Amino acid sequence: MIEKRRVRSSFPAILPPLIDALKISYQVRQVGFERVAGRDGVIIQLNPRDKLRYGYRFWVDRQSGLLLKSVMLNENGVIVENVAFNQLGMVNN
């Protein structure tokens, strides 16, 4: 299935309007860079401000903003869920 990307309504473009709500529950920070599926990614970490939430780490494509990888971490920083692309290809329309 091929979908056209809507820049304003997709990740990470959806974050700025939600950033104030996110900051209440999470500390949001950029923690590095790493390649995922052959793409240069920026690593964004969400650390929970309480013990009731999981932490998250997102790898976001530097060029397109596509979410390349997502990791959910428990209170001890152990990965409990890991979702990632292993290969991406370009489609010419």
Side-chain angles (χ1 to χ4, degrees), residues 5-6 8 12 14-15 26 28 35-36 40 45-46 48 51 57-58 60 65-66 68 70 75-76 78 89:
R5 182 161 159 72
R6 291 180 183 88
R8 294 274 185 234
I14 60 171
L15 287 182
Y26 293 93
V28 181
R35 289 183 63 81
V36 176
D40 290 326
Q45 184 149 330
L46 278 69
K51 300 289 183 190
R57 198 172 297 144
F58 299 117
V60 180
L66 177 69
L68 300 169
S70 173
E75 65 276 2
N76 298 317
V78 176

Side-chain angles (χ1 to χ4, degrees), residues 12-45:
I14 60 171
L15 287 182
L18 301 175
I19 201 74
D20 289 334
L22 269 175
K23 285 182 179 180
I24 292 170
S25 302
Y26 293 93
Q27 175 191 19
V28 181
R29 63 190 179 106
Q30 180 179 323
V31 295
F33 303 93
E34 188 176 318
R35 289 183 63 81
V36 176
R39 305 288 298 176
D40 290 326
V42 176
I43 307 168
I44 306 296
Q45 184 149 330

Side-chain angles (χ1 to χ4, degrees), residues 76-93:
N76 298 317
V78 176
I79 296 173
V80 294
E81 181 179 80
N82 185 357
V83 178
F85 285 104
N86 61 15
Q87 183 178 6
L88 293 172
M90 300 300 290
V91 176
N92 294 327
N93 289 340

